[in-house]
Amino acid sequence: MSLTAVLTDTASIQQYIFSSNKLKTNIGASQIVKSIYDDEHLIKVLNEVGKGINNWQENPDEVPILTNTDIEWEIGYIGGGNALIFFRDNIKAKQFIKNYSKNLLVKYPGLNTSFGIKDDFDINNFIQNIKELHELLHKSKNKYFPKTTLEKFGFTLDCTESNECAELYDNVMGEYISSVLKTKLDAEKIASEDLNNKFKTILNNFAFPKNFEEISPEKEQSYIAVVHIDGNSMGKRFEACESLSDIRKLSKSITEATEKAFKNTLDILINKVISDKELLEELNISIKRHIVPFRPIIIGGDDITFICHGRLGVFLTKTFIKEFAKQPVSDYKPLSACGGIAIVKSKFPFFKAYQLAEELTSSAKEKSRKIEGSSYVDFHISAGGFSGSWDDIKTNYYDAIEGNAHFGPYRVDSDNDDNSLKKLENKIEELSKKPKNKVLKFREVILRSSEEIEMFISENEEFFYYNKIWDNRETIYFDAIEVMDFYHPELFKI
């Protein structure tokens, strides 16, 4: 039996979520993106179309719409920002698209969704049909560009945060704001309550932060880490699925793996770092009002984006990737992931920091592809600002006479690799025992000629006894000095 299939997608998610420099707004936007496929929105609209069923997670092997003529629709699966829905006929499918689009437009202005629709969808030939449906969705995204916000005119007030038309007065902010911003701020309250309740047994008396200042409250020394982590080769794993049942099971198990890895990472942070007052003092991290300096913004499918205190960025990224790799999934293949860490001042434009974290993740993935199943991280620390792409930064900031001073990405899942994170940790531990003024001078000298480096080493041989600083136009020492204030040796032991 053939059906009509609809594939929905949320377009420009990153722009929608990370366009603001206010954490509350980003949190609220993420909550909206997550909620559009829940009972209040997706299922509610589907129920208006007719009787249906949503048990794909509980019974992945069953497709009741094929045998039960009373069922008008059925959820195929939900994951990765997509929802696949089967309908008994084309009329019901188009009615859903119309009603759902209108519902989201009214409730969440600024959110863009796209739809692919395919008649005669044959579940018995699922792989070929879903491929064709994805192609139809892609064409739809490139063909239709809906306007989802109120038009701005020369005489209308601009919202100071969203840059959209400010048509609503907000009593809390004491100013006119856009409906786009209003919906995000309202959603933040739900998101924070849900997140604190979900992890309350681990949080105990702690809570997640709602603004950047709560994450790193040290004022002039205030650094945050913006981290993006993405699972490796997930597209290939889904392509290898031979049926709808396989995709359902894989989607569910990967989501569970990501959530479990986050839960374990949070547990380690609270019970092995925050609970140790001596360690916090050593790390120079202050905890205010029982706020955990760690906040997820996106936890979905195989990827996660979180922010944390700048001095915890590398540690928490390493911890999450290792915990993620421990989780079982339905295809019985091991998990691996890569991460990008942008460590910036807390006042730095957030979207720019997120874009850098994404580029650093791509850099780590490029390295990972050379060794199947490997996990890598890459990082950059900005004390001021930066412009351009990660490639531009590497050229402008790390370029030296003897080569490029950035040694990363670093491998997380093996200590024996030439680019292992363990190797970097060893150098950090070694350098941390030397006088700080000498180390900072060494950092300057690394970028100079080999003759100047040799002269510095000979003049300070009681501290620096290295034979080779640069090898094949590469050096690990510059990275080690750069990150040593943000990755304390005490964290290596956890």
Side-chain angles (χ1 to χ4, degrees):
M1 176 185 175
S2 62
L3 303 165
T4 296
V6 171
L7 186 65
T8 76
D9 182 51
T10 309
S12 305
I13 292 178
Q14 286 79 12
Q15 180 66 39
Y16 181 78
I17 294 177
F18 300 109
S19 59
S20 173
N21 286 326
K22 299 287 180 65
L23 181 55
K24 282 187 177 183
T25 310
N26 300 325
I27 293 167
S30 179
Q31 173 65 22
I32 289 171
V33 170
K34 185 178 76 170
S35 72
I36 63 172
Y37 296 139
D38 65 13
D39 290 353
E40 185 182 350
H41 302 293
L42 180 66
I43 307 303
K44 182 181 177 181
V45 174
L46 283 168
N47 283 331
E48 293 171 0
V49 171
K51 182 181 178 182
I53 191 164
N54 178 26
N55 68 344
W56 68 275
Q57 290 183 314
E58 293 79 12
N59 299 297
D61 296 322
E62 298 179 6
V63 189
I65 195 172
L66 294 175
T67 56
N68 189 338
T69 56
D70 291 333
I71 295 176
E72 300 286 353
W73 58 265
E74 178 178 349
I75 301 293
Y77 67 83
I78 296 172
N82 297 136
L84 173 66
I85 310 158
F86 298 120
F87 293 88
R88 189 160 295 282
D89 58 58
N90 178 279
I91 296 172
K92 297 288 186 183
K94 289 184 175 179
Q95 183 183 343
F96 160 74
I97 292 173
K98 177 183 176 181
N99 293 351
Y100 189 57
S101 300
K102 180 180 179 181
N103 181 275
L104 294 181
L105 182 63
V106 171
K107 292 193 173 182
Y108 302 125
L111 186 68
N112 287 309
T113 50
S114 301
F115 301 88
I117 182 169
K118 176 176 170 54
D119 296 323
D120 300 322
F121 190 101
D122 183 5
I123 290 181
N124 294 322
N125 189 17
F126 182 79
I127 300 304
Q128 180 59 34
N129 278 260
I130 194 66
K131 182 180 178 182
E132 292 173 6
L133 184 55
H134 272 285
E135 289 172 357
L136 290 167
L137 174 64
H138 182 70
K139 287 180 182 178
S140 176
K141 289 174 73 172
N142 291 329
K143 188 175 181 180
Y144 301 106
F145 303 95
K147 180 69 176 174
T148 59
T149 57
L150 288 177
E151 200 68 58
K152 291 201 301 182
F153 300 96
F155 54 83
T156 57
L157 185 69
D158 284 353
C159 174
T160 55
E161 188 174 330
S162 70
N163 201 34
E164 297 291 344
C165 178
E167 72 270 21
L168 300 173
Y169 186 80
D170 185 78
N171 291 319
V172 176
M173 297 182 69
E175 61 179 296
Y176 282 93
I177 62 174
S178 68
S179 55
V180 175
L181 177 57
K182 176 64 175 173
T183 56
K184 291 179 181 180
L185 291 174
D186 289 345
E188 180 275 325
K189 299 168 187 173
I190 299 169
S192 293
E193 186 177 339
D194 287 351
L195 194 66
N196 286 317
N197 286 335
K198 188 172 186 177
F199 298 103
K200 63 182 178 182
T201 55
I202 298 173
L203 287 169
N204 201 357
N205 293 322
F206 288 93
F208 287 104
K210 293 185 177 183
N211 57 65
F212 295 121
E213 290 73 21
E214 290 178 328
I215 295 172
S216 181
E218 291 90 357
K219 295 182 181 177
E220 71 276 357
Q221 297 298 323
S222 179
Y223 281 88
I224 61 169
V226 181
V227 178
H228 179 69
I229 301 172
D230 195 21
N232 293 331
S233 303
M234 286 302 169
K236 292 181 180 178
R237 291 172 80 149
F238 276 99
E239 287 174 7
C241 292
E242 297 180 352
S243 66
L244 173 61
S245 175
D246 290 343
I247 286 184
R248 285 173 164 180
K249 290 173 183 176
L250 186 58
S251 179
K252 180 184 178 183
S253 61
I254 287 174
T255 298
E256 289 173 346
T258 303
E259 291 182 355
K260 185 67 183 299
F262 174 78
K263 183 177 180 180
N264 292 348
T265 302
L266 178 64
D267 188 31
I268 290 167
L269 173 63
I270 291 177
N271 292 310
K272 294 189 178 181
V273 179
I274 293 178
S275 61
D276 189 336
K277 292 183 179 180
E278 290 184 7
L279 176 57
L280 282 179
E281 190 172 339
E282 187 76 21
L283 297 176
N284 194 21
I285 294 176
S286 58
I287 304 295
K288 300 289 179 71
R289 300 192 304 277
H290 286 272
I291 299 295
V292 178
F294 178 40
R295 171 88 198 212
I297 298 179
I298 296 176
I299 307 178
D302 64 309
D303 69 87
I304 180 171
T305 299
F306 65 79
I307 53 172
C308 64
H309 195 289
R311 296 188 185 94
L312 294 171
V314 180
F315 168 71
L316 290 175
T317 304
K318 169 189 169 183
T319 302
F320 178 89
I321 290 175
K322 289 199 166 188
E323 291 299 320
F324 182 68
K326 295 176 184 177
Q327 307 307 317
V329 286
S330 64
D331 64 359
Y332 303 106
K333 296 175 183 177
L335 289 170
S336 62
C338 290
I341 311 156
I343 301 174
V344 298
K345 290 287 185 72
S346 59
K347 298 292 184 183
F348 189 82
F350 186 72
F351 186 65
K352 202 171 178 183
Y354 170 75
Q355 284 182 313
L356 177 60
E358 270 202 325
E359 288 187 75
L360 289 164
T361 304
S362 297
S363 168
K365 278 181 171 286
E366 187 176 342
K367 190 82 172 179
S368 172
R369 290 187 189 102
K370 298 174 183 177
I371 305 173
E372 188 176 352
S374 59
S375 297
Y376 281 81
V377 296
D378 208 352
F379 61 81
H380 175 66
I381 299 152
S382 174
F386 57 83
S387 60
S389 66
W390 171 232
D391 287 337
D392 294 332
I393 294 169
K394 280 197 292 185
T395 300
N396 298 329
Y397 184 77
Y398 293 101
D399 198 37
I401 294 173
E402 298 299 319
N404 193 279
H406 182 66
F407 195 69
Y410 293 91
R411 189 170 179 182
V412 175
D413 60 314
S414 173
D415 293 346
N416 301 318
D417 195 277
D418 287 340
N419 279 70
S420 71
L421 189 62
K422 181 65 176 177
K423 183 177 179 180
L424 179 69
E425 291 172 353
N426 291 340
K427 294 302 179 187
I428 293 171
E429 195 159 16
E430 187 181 294
L431 290 164
S432 67
K433 297 172 183 175
K434 303 183 185 302
K436 188 67 177 285
N437 64 322
K438 297 288 185 182
V439 172
L440 292 177
K441 182 64 177 176
F442 182 40
R443 176 184 175 278
E444 295 177 17
V445 172
I446 290 171
L447 304 177
R448 299 175 186 171
S449 66
S450 57
E451 292 80 12
E452 290 177 277
I453 295 171
E454 288 174 13
M455 185 181 299
F456 176 82
I457 297 296
S458 64
E459 290 174 353
N460 297 274
E461 57 184 11
E462 71 273 27
F463 303 115
F464 302 97
Y465 42 81
Y466 312 121
N467 294 323
K468 230 175 188 181
I469 303 302
W470 287 88
D471 184 17
N472 194 28
R473 295 186 61 78
E474 292 183 330
T475 180
I476 196 172
Y477 291 98
F478 191 83
D479 278 356
I481 297 170
E482 283 276 275
V483 81
M484 62 189 297
D485 283 341
F486 298 92
Y487 194 28
H488 198 280
E490 287 298 317
L491 294 172
F492 306 165
K493 304 170 187 177
I494 298 174

